[in-house]
Amino acid sequence: MQPHDFWQTIDPAGTPEDGGPFSDAYPARLADGRRLLLPIRALAHGRHGLASLIVNQASFEVLAALADDLAARLKPHAPDVVVGLPTLGLTLAAAVAERLGHSRYVPCGTSRKFWYVEELSVPMSSVTTHHVKRLYVDPRMLPLLKGRRVALVDDVISSGTSIVAGLSLMAAVGVEPVAVGAAMLQTDRWRAALTDLSPVWPDRVVGSLATPLLERAGDGWRPTP
């Protein structure tokens, strides 16, 4: 596959399983058995790699499939409002909220508008960025959150730092989300970070895709045990 071909098509259910080793793509499965090929990115040390998903580069077909699946997973939690985390989580959160029958969603941001306040912000970093930003919620959105059942949505949960920032921001406004959703749960590294925040959080996380840590195996990659 060419780099621009990733995240554009979903293989039908029944596509044969492939246990690896994988060369440049990892086959992730939706709950209904459909398959999405994800490019493998080597980590800096070269021994391990991760399957990658960038939802705002995905086709509308793929985005719709992920949003359909995630909305179905969040629906049993009966959220009143969806809160999206920047940057890539915003695309997914809007689509999920629409599928849940909501008329809008609440986007968080890292760009401070002049009417924002520092008290409604927290530090934020992620596995794909090396600098710390601040995560804000617009004070005008607080009436949409207070006393409501909130689902916090991001595109990928990997190290857990972005979701911890989102949960910390919700705590700053007096909100405890009923669920956390993502298009992809990238390895299990996030569990420790969320457990450190509170033991309740790992059990409230749902994801459409789950991908393992990969390890070099000759000329390819295999999931780590």
Side-chain angles (χ1 to χ4, degrees):
M1 294 178 69
Q2 296 299 312
H4 60 274
D5 291 329
F6 283 106
W7 315 307
Q8 301 308 301
T9 58
I10 294 183
D11 297 326
T15 303
E17 293 286 346
D18 183 357
F22 310 109
S23 55
D24 59 354
Y26 178 80
R29 298 272 177 176
L30 289 165
D32 62 8
R34 286 179 295 168
R35 186 182 75 171
L36 180 63
L37 292 177
L38 304 174
I40 296 173
R41 311 292 192 198
L43 298 178
H45 55 72
R47 179 185 172 189
H48 292 107
L50 297 171
S52 173
L53 173 65
I54 303 180
V55 295
N56 68 353
Q57 293 182 11
S59 67
F60 298 140
E61 174 195 7
V62 169
L63 176 60
L66 294 172
D68 288 345
D69 182 273
L70 188 55
R73 293 174 187 269
L74 289 172
K75 189 173 182 179
H77 298 275
D80 301 314
V81 61
V82 172
V83 174
L85 291 180
T87 300
L88 301 183
L90 300 181
T91 298
L92 181 65
V96 168
E98 184 177 25
R99 283 156 174 78
L100 289 171
H102 300 173
S103 61
R104 65 187 299 177
Y105 82 113
V106 173
C108 297
T110 54
S111 174
R112 182 179 180 179
K113 311 305 181 185
F114 69 84
W115 63 87
Y116 287 11
V117 295
E118 285 298 305
E119 292 78 8
L120 299 181
S121 72
V122 296
M124 179 184 188
S125 63
S126 74
V127 71
T128 55
T129 60
H130 300 289
H131 61 281
V132 177
K133 303 169 283 188
R134 292 200 72 81
L135 179 67
Y136 296 90
V137 61
D138 190 329
R140 300 179 303 174
M141 299 293 103
L142 296 187
L144 302 177
L145 301 175
K146 296 288 189 178
R148 310 294 297 280
R149 294 178 62 84
V150 170
L152 187 64
V153 169
D154 204 356
D155 61 326
V156 174
I157 301 178
S158 185
S159 65
T161 55
S162 294
I163 285 295
V164 166
L167 291 170
S168 299
L169 182 60
M170 291 297 97
V173 302
V175 170
E176 182 177 306
V178 297
V180 175
M184 181 169 73
L185 305 179
Q186 190 181 59
T187 79
D188 287 329
R189 296 180 300 163
W190 53 271
R191 289 186 175 275
L194 268 65
T195 299
D196 287 345
L197 188 64
S198 172
V200 307
W201 291 122
D203 290 337
R204 296 188 191 180
V205 174
V206 296
S208 297
L209 304 171
T211 58
L213 181 67
L214 300 167
E215 187 172 19
R216 285 199 183 274
D219 294 332
W221 301 88
R222 284 191 182 278
T224 58

